[in-house]
Amino acid sequence: MSAAADAIISVEGLVNRFGADSVHENLALEVRPGEIIGVVGGSGSGKSVLMRSILALQRPQAGRIRVLGRDALSFDPDSRRFIERNTGVLFQNAALFSSLTVLENVMVPMKEHSALPERVMRDLAMMKIRLAGLEPEAALKLPAELSGGMRKRAGIARALALDPALLFLDEPTAGLDPIGAAAFDRLILSIQKALGLTVFLITHDLDTLYTICDRVAVLADRTVLVNAPVDEVAGVAHPWIQEYFKGPRGRAAHDAQESR
């Protein structure tokens, strides 16, 4: 069986344009089941646009996208519900509903996609909150009462509400201090291993790439230049890749990984 047939996400010939500005041209990407893939690129390279295209929140001008064996761009409601039911998303800054408690936020996907009794949804939501590393008392707090790291953990709990096979994370460690970012990396890795998830992770954090990612996809020149293990990517002779991975921060992240 071909790699494309095995892929949990398959993108072919993707074109995204905004007016005269071309973000993606003939972009191709495959994500394998059970891996953590890190997506990196310079400002304006279209990392979030790619994620939104895969989630059908942004309709491209051309291309094919398959997610979990279904056409992600199909207007068929059954296909859309299947993909939504089996994917979880942590957007930047968690994007929690400010007027709902953490518990209520985590229950939102359950109420939309299941007919479970309220009590069962509350119990499941509490399990997800604990899985995300939050104490039970955090469940009754509003997002404004949480620290930045706690809001991200609450966002993870909501993303896991429906036991998805596929988890999307958009800059999960942005805004966290180095200790908090390292703890969040460990959380992602532990959840991925415990639940057997496939993780699509947009990041600029070199420590995250070296610590938890199986492969790294680099967006540049309006396409995916390379999609490979991080050490292989770092050896690609492209100006942006060399500046990113061979600069002081890249060397520090590599050396830290070697010391581990």
Side-chain angles (χ1 to χ4, degrees), residues 45-145:
S45 61
K47 301 182 294 295
S48 293
V49 173
L50 174 59
M51 187 183 86
R52 290 175 61 84
S53 296
I54 294 170
L55 291 168
L57 300 175
Q58 161 73 38
R59 296 200 69 84
Q61 277 66 47
R64 297 179 60 211
I65 302 174
R66 294 189 66 81
V67 177
L68 298 163
R70 304 291 183 98
D71 181 358
L73 301 178
S74 171
F75 289 101
D76 173 49
D78 289 338
S79 292
R80 291 303 318 146
R81 279 193 295 269
F82 177 84
I83 293 173
E84 290 172 4
R85 175 66 179 78
N86 288 282
T87 56
V89 185
L90 174 65
F91 293 102
Q92 289 188 36
N93 303 316
L96 298 170
F97 296 108
S98 60
S99 61
L100 301 181
T101 66
V102 170
L103 181 65
E104 291 167 336
N105 265 282
V106 177
M107 289 171 63
V108 166
M110 300 179 189
K111 290 182 175 180
E112 182 177 354
H113 290 282
S114 77
L116 294 171
E118 183 86 5
R119 176 183 57 81
V120 175
M121 286 193 286
R122 291 176 67 88
D123 289 345
L124 289 173
M126 287 301 301
M127 289 175 57
K128 306 303 180 184
I129 289 168
R130 289 193 292 269
L131 181 63
L134 290 172
E135 296 298 327
E137 53 266 28
L140 301 181
K141 294 182 181 294
L142 294 170
E145 300 175 291

Side-chain angles (χ1 to χ4, degrees), residues 222-241:
R222 299 183 295 280
T223 191
V224 173
L225 286 179
V226 59
N227 182 12
V230 63
D231 285 333
E232 183 177 332
V233 171
V236 172
H238 183 275
W240 188 89
I241 292 175

